[in-house]
Amino acid sequence: MRRRPNPWILIPAVIAGLFGGGLGWVVNDVACRSDVGTGCATRSLLWGGLGFLLGLVGMAVIMVLVSRSIAEWREYQERRPEDPRS
C-alpha cells in the first residue's frame, strides 16, 4: 500500500531550519566582531543559510522516519492475530 506524503512533516522541519539558520548567523556574527575586515554580513548569511538547510534536512529525515514507523506499527496492530491469553 502506497501512502501519500504527510504535509505536517514540513512544519517542524522549517522550525528546526530556522533555529539552525539563526544559530549559524549568530555564531558567525560573534566570531566576525573580533575580525577587522569586510564580508562579515556575507559570511553570516552563508553560514545562516547552511545552518538552515542542515536543520531542515535533518529534522525532515527524522520526521519521515517517525511517521513511517508509526504507520508500520498501526498496520501491524491491525493485522496482528488476537492474543489467546486475553
Side-chain angles (χ1 to χ4, degrees):
M1 178 172 90
R2 184 154 170 90
R3 292 180 292 118
R4 292 186 355 217
N6 187 350
W8 292 102
I9 289 173
L10 187 62
I11 294 170
V14 169
I15 291 170
L18 291 173
F19 278 115
L23 184 63
W25 177 279
V26 168
V27 167
N28 190 63
D29 194 45
V30 168
C32 224
R33 288 182 187 168
S34 63
D35 283 345
V36 176
T38 60
C40 283
T42 305
R43 281 190 285 160
S44 291
L45 184 61
L46 174 73
W47 286 111
L50 183 63
F52 175 79
L53 288 175
L54 289 174
L56 179 92
V57 170
M59 184 58 77
V61 167
I62 290 170
M63 292 301 296
V64 166
L65 291 175
V66 166
S67 176
R68 291 179 75 178
S69 175
I70 290 171
E72 286 179 17
W73 176 253
R74 287 180 181 160
E75 186 178 315
Y76 171 76
Q77 291 294 325
E78 291 173 359
R79 287 186 292 142
R80 190 174 73 173
E82 292 297 320
D83 188 11
R85 293 177 279 161
S86 60

